[in-house]
Amino acid sequence: MNRFFEGRWSRRSPANVADEVERLRTDLGVGHVYFSDDLFTLDRQRILDLCREISDRGLRFAWMAETRVDLVDAELLARMREAGCYRIYYGVESGSPRVLKAANKGFTADQVREAFAMTHEAGIEPCCFLMVGNPGETPETIEETVALIREIRPATMPILGINTLLPASPQYDRAKEAGLISDGYWLGGDAPPPYTLEHDVDDLIYLQMLLTRGIAPQVYEQLCAMGFDEKYFLMRRMAKGMDRRA
C-alpha cells in the first residue's frame, strides 16, 4: 500500500460476498463474475474461506480475479480452481530484474516464473499486465520482458500499458521536483500523464511497439500496416529535433 491509501484496507466477509454471488446466480442467472480487487488474495485465509463458502453452497459459476505473483501458492490456487476460478491476472509489469527493482515491485522475475507455473498446474489460465516506461526502461529491458513472457506462456496476450504518474508515489515526487507536473494538475479533468522523466511520449510508444513486436507479432504487423512502425517514430524524433534547432 502506498501512502495514498494510508495503509488502510476495507474488506467484506467471505459469507457476505458469497451471499451477493448467490443472489446474482439465483435472481439474475449470472454465470460469470470478475472479482476486480487489485489484490484479491492479499488475505489468504479470507479467500480460502470464500472458496469454501462457494463450494458448500453449491454455487456453480465461472470467475476470475487479479493479484500479485507473491500472493499465491499451490494449495490456494487449487482451492480457487475447485470453486470455479478459471483465470487470474497478475501485475507482472516487466521481465527485467533491474526495472522491477527500480519500480519497487517487491517481487522478482523468478517469483513470476514460479507463480505462472503453479497457476498452469492448477488448471487456471494465468494472464498478465505489462507496463512500459518504468525507471531504467530501455530496449534491452524490453527484450528481457519479451524473453520472460515467452517462457511463462500467459493464456492471453498481455495487457500493455504505459507508466503514468499518480499522486503519493516516488515517481510522482521525482516528476514534481523536475517540474514535469504540479499538484494543481489534478484540479482539471485530464487523465494521469505518462511518466516522462527519462523518455518522451514518442519514445514510450516506441518502446511499447518493441514490446508488442516481441510478444504479439500479429498485432505488431497490423500496426505496421497502419504506418506505426520504427520508421514512423524515427521521423517524428527527427522532426522534433529540427523544430528545436529552428
Side-chain angles (χ1 to χ4, degrees):
M1 298 288 183
N2 65 29
R3 66 179 186 272
F4 185 80
F5 297 104
E6 298 180 347
R8 294 176 297 182
W9 176 48
S10 178
R11 73 192 78 185
R12 295 167 57 188
S13 71
N16 179 267
V17 175
D19 286 343
E20 181 174 350
V21 172
E22 192 165 15
R23 287 194 297 272
L24 290 172
R25 290 289 294 130
T26 302
D27 298 342
L28 301 176
V30 171
H32 183 277
V33 173
Y34 183 9
F35 291 106
S36 60
D37 312 46
D38 289 340
L39 298 174
F40 182 72
T41 60
L42 180 62
D43 184 335
R44 181 180 186 275
Q45 188 57 51
R46 175 176 176 268
I47 301 309
L48 288 172
D49 292 343
L50 174 59
C51 291
R52 183 167 55 251
E53 287 277 356
I54 292 171
S55 298
D56 289 350
R57 299 183 190 206
L59 298 175
R60 302 296 181 188
F61 67 101
W63 56 276
M64 55 185 183
E66 300 177 18
T67 193
R68 284 171 55 101
V69 297
D70 56 347
L71 292 177
V72 294
D73 57 67
E75 179 189 2
L76 178 60
L77 291 169
R79 299 292 82 77
M80 290 171 64
R81 183 69 191 100
E82 290 173 1
C85 178
Y86 75 96
R87 179 176 293 175
I88 298 176
Y89 283 91
Y90 294 105
V92 172
E93 316 308 0
S94 175
S96 166
R98 183 178 66 188
V99 171
L100 290 174
K101 184 176 181 180
N104 196 30
K105 289 302 297 180
F107 58 75
T108 66
D110 283 340
Q111 286 176 293
V112 173
R113 294 182 178 92
E114 182 180 10
F116 270 70
M118 289 190 297
T119 307
H120 279 298
E121 182 65 25
I124 299 174
E125 299 177 352
C127 304
C128 65
F129 300 103
L130 297 177
M131 182 185 297
V132 169
N134 280 298
E137 192 82 275
T138 65
E140 289 71 33
T141 65
I142 293 295
E143 290 178 3
E144 291 180 286
T145 300
V146 170
L148 180 64
I149 294 303
R150 290 176 177 174
E151 181 180 348
I152 62 178
R153 300 178 295 110
T156 63
M157 176 181 167
I159 298 174
L160 309 185
I162 291 178
N163 187 16
T164 56
L165 290 172
L166 294 176
S169 67
Q171 292 178 24
Y172 182 78
D173 293 340
R174 288 195 292 270
K176 280 181 60 179
E177 292 173 1
L180 296 177
I181 194 170
S182 70
D183 291 336
Y185 179 90
W186 309 104
L187 297 176
D190 293 335
Y195 176 71
T196 55
L197 192 58
E198 297 181 47
H199 302 283
D200 64 19
V201 173
D202 282 345
D203 284 340
L204 291 173
I205 298 174
Y206 173 69
L207 290 170
Q208 190 177 46
M209 287 286 291
L210 291 181
L211 182 56
T212 303
R213 183 177 66 184
I215 65 175
Q218 291 181 332
V219 175
Y220 174 78
E221 290 174 4
Q222 292 172 356
L223 292 171
C224 288
M226 294 187 291
F228 296 101
D229 56 12
E230 287 87 345
K231 293 180 181 179
Y232 169 80
F233 292 102
L234 176 61
M235 291 177 64
R236 282 179 63 96
R237 285 195 290 272
M238 291 174 61
K240 285 191 297 186
M242 292 174 64
D243 289 342
R244 285 194 292 268
R245 292 193 296 270

